[in-house]
Amino acid sequence: MTPFHSLLLSLDGSPEAARAAGTAIWLAEALGATLHILHAVAQPLPKQDALAQLHVPEMRRARLVLHQQPDNAEAAVLKAIAKFDIDLVVMSARGQSASAGLRLSQRLGSVAQAVIEHTPVPILLLPVRYRESLPWKSILAAVSGETAADRALQVATRLAASLGIKVTAVHVGDGLAEDRTQPFGRYTDAAHHEYPYRIEEMVERGLASRTTEECECVGQVVFRQGDPAAELQDQVDSHAASVLALGCHGALIAGRALVFKRLVESADCALLLVKQTEQPTARLRVGKALDDST
């Protein structure tokens, strides 16, 4: 049975927000999940009229549950997540803000930013340059040794197991560009490896509470050195990954989440953002932890 029972898609009537509809509908169907579509609007419309205004494909509407709420969009989404016990939120990085012609440097719309900062539920965020390619082929998960990244790997493997696809775990460390790729379970440290723990041990820690089926979804571990955002994007391209899973602390203030902010501008795949929910414990920092900047 899939652990993803309820998905939420937030739409505002703009074509940019509606770009997430195809992915959300496909994902709900593939997971056997209920897709809740939320539209914050003062005057509700009949269902078919509302879905047409929201640019939802007509042939796929029978499986959807539409909610039209009078709250402002940020409040409506956060309330719906709790009310409908949502397991995964699907949304575009920008909706009406993109339609209004705001600059690309304004990476996130206000609704996306509010959801990222205020909900513990995993978010499938579709960047401005997102190119829909369905069905998904694989998931790339950034591992760093921190709790948020561990949880991102857990969610990525749950999703992969439900969809029957593979996960590649990637760690980006400091230093000049370097590439080491091994099948999971056969990673060998080089004698000059500067990190006190093997990359594979990070992956195993992240998978400690996962089922055998979920663990078997991890096909490769990859070690790279260099600029985190650039290396992650390069690995997405190399593996033809449909999704990049990132641990996220949720703080989007100036100077934080720098890797994430760059990927929102440059990535053309979906970004699966997973926040740390439990209290952090003392951990050894391995290399440059991605979660300080994702």
Side-chain angles (χ1 to χ4, degrees):
M1 179 181 293
T2 175
F4 299 92
H5 304 288
S6 297
L7 277 56
L8 178 67
L9 171 64
S10 175
L11 298 177
D12 59 14
S14 68
E16 286 73 19
R19 292 173 65 232
T23 298
I25 294 170
W26 169 81
L27 188 57
E29 291 177 344
L31 295 172
T34 299
L35 178 60
H36 298 268
I37 292 184
L38 177 68
H39 184 208
V41 59
Q43 296 294 328
L45 297 173
K47 179 179 178 179
Q48 295 304 316
D49 292 343
L51 292 175
Q53 188 177 92
L54 295 172
H55 308 285
V56 176
E58 185 171 0
M59 67 185 70
R60 313 280 287 279
R61 295 177 186 175
R63 297 174 177 267
L64 311 179
V65 179
L66 175 66
H67 308 281
Q68 300 181 81
Q69 302 293 338
D71 297 299
N72 68 67
E74 292 92 332
V77 173
L78 296 174
K79 288 180 181 178
I81 289 170
K83 182 176 181 180
F84 304 116
D85 196 19
I86 298 300
D87 300 304
L88 180 68
V89 177
V90 183
M91 63 193 313
S92 295
R94 296 191 299 169
Q96 290 180 341
S97 59
S99 297
L102 297 183
R103 296 172 302 176
L104 183 62
S105 60
Q106 295 174 299
R107 304 169 182 91
L108 292 172
S110 59
V111 178
Q113 182 167 338
V115 175
I116 292 170
E117 291 182 333
H118 299 296
T119 181
V121 174
I123 301 163
L124 188 72
L125 188 74
L126 308 185
V128 175
R129 300 186 189 277
Y130 175 69
R131 293 187 297 180
E132 182 176 280
S133 180
L134 304 172
W136 287 353
K137 297 178 181 178
S138 66
I139 299 175
L140 196 77
V143 297
S144 68
E146 291 207 357
T147 305
D150 287 352
R151 185 164 182 257
L153 180 61
Q154 292 165 10
V155 174
T157 54
R158 285 204 305 269
L159 191 55
S162 298
L163 296 171
I165 60 178
K166 290 292 186 179
V167 174
T168 298
V170 180
H171 174 70
V172 182
D174 301 322
L176 298 176
E178 182 178 355
D179 188 5
R180 300 181 201 149
T181 301
Q182 296 286 341
F184 181 50
R186 282 183 271 172
Y187 189 93
T188 303
D189 277 325
H192 61 276
H193 199 296
E194 64 180 288
Y195 299 104
Y197 286 110
R198 296 178 302 172
I199 307 305
E200 185 172 302
E201 290 176 342
M202 280 194 256
V203 177
E204 290 174 344
R205 183 171 61 238
L207 297 176
S209 61
R210 297 300 93 208
T211 66
T212 300
E213 181 184 11
E214 291 167 358
C215 292
E216 289 176 348
C217 288
V218 181
Q220 288 184 326
V221 291
V222 177
F223 170 58
R224 297 281 295 182
Q225 287 182 303
D227 175 73
E231 294 297 339
L232 288 173
Q233 182 62 59
D234 180 69
Q235 289 301 303
V236 167
D237 296 339
S238 297
H239 293 273
S242 304
V243 183
L244 172 59
L246 301 167
C248 176
H249 292 298
L252 300 179
I253 58 176
R256 298 296 302 273
L258 301 180
V259 172
F260 165 66
K261 290 173 181 176
R262 286 178 57 189
L263 288 169
V264 168
E265 289 187 350
S266 64
D268 57 9
C269 69
L271 302 178
L272 177 62
L273 306 180
V274 183
K275 290 174 66 175
Q276 174 180 308
T277 55
E278 66 271 28
Q279 290 296 320
T281 56
R283 284 189 177 240
L284 176 67
R285 294 172 61 85
V286 183
K288 182 177 180 179
L290 292 179
D291 288 310
D292 282 342
S293 56
T294 58

